[in-house]
Amino acid sequence: TIAVAIMATRVFRHARRGFSRLRVLVVDAYAPDGREQLARGGMTSAGELYARMLRRHSPVEDIEPDIVFAADDDFKPPCLDEYDGVAWTGSSLTIYSQEPRVNQQIQFSRDIFEKGVPQFGSCWALQIAVCAAGGQCSKNP
């Protein structure tokens, strides 16, 4: 809720300039095969669950979440200037794997930090943030 409050503050600042909508980028960090497993099990994707949660619990009535799939091979980061905040889902990946679909998410988080856009997440997002800031995550022995 702190991240949503920060995003809402940004919206109120935008409202003075003629904008009233809260634009949130939802980063679904599941790999395609992980999303397929969820779908086969009759489950909703993490990105859609986050978007629903934001619509339901936002203190701002006009919220527009957009979902991107950051673990996909063809992922192209959107223009961050269009967003008031970023919400990261969990992931089916492991942070210490050093594979391209993990590394592209770490770089994307760095880009978000550099732009100064607030980010929210837990578990996966915290691991991504640590690595984006130059830290290291490793497997629990």
Side-chain angles (χ1 to χ4, degrees):
T1 57
I2 292 172
V4 173
I6 292 169
M7 291 179 219
T9 301
R10 291 187 76 179
V11 153
F12 294 129
R13 275 192 236 136
H14 288 319
R16 286 185 234 147
R17 292 181 292 183
F19 300 101
S20 61
R21 179 179 318 169
L22 179 63
R23 301 250 358 243
V24 179
L25 183 65
V26 175
V27 180
D28 188 323
Y30 274 77
D33 57 331
R35 293 193 312 269
E36 289 171 21
Q37 286 178 341
L38 291 172
R40 278 196 305 272
M43 300 176 73
T44 304
S45 72
E48 184 54 39
L49 288 173
Y50 265 64
R52 284 183 196 170
M53 181 270 308
L54 287 166
R55 285 185 202 104
R56 188 173 297 137
H57 299 289
S58 173
V60 177
E61 287 185 28
D62 192 6
I63 184 167
E64 182 180 339
D66 294 331
I67 303 170
V68 296
F69 301 98
D72 290 8
D73 291 335
D74 62 350
F75 173 66
K76 302 246 184 306
C79 177
L80 295 169
D81 293 333
E82 299 178 13
Y83 294 97
D84 300 296
V86 176
W88 289 81
T89 70
S91 182
S92 53
L93 302 171
T94 55
I95 195 72
Y96 47 84
S97 68
Q98 297 299 309
E99 61 182 291
R101 56 191 180 175
V102 171
N103 294 333
Q104 72 188 15
Q105 292 184 64
I106 293 169
Q107 183 57 53
F108 185 43
S109 183
R110 280 188 193 115
D111 295 344
I112 297 167
F113 280 128
E114 288 174 11
K115 276 292 202 183
V117 179
Q119 298 181 71
F120 168 79
S122 60
C123 195
W124 178 253
L126 298 176
Q127 296 172 61
I128 287 287
V130 165
C131 293
Q136 181 180 337
C137 294
S138 59
K139 188 174 184 177
N140 185 357

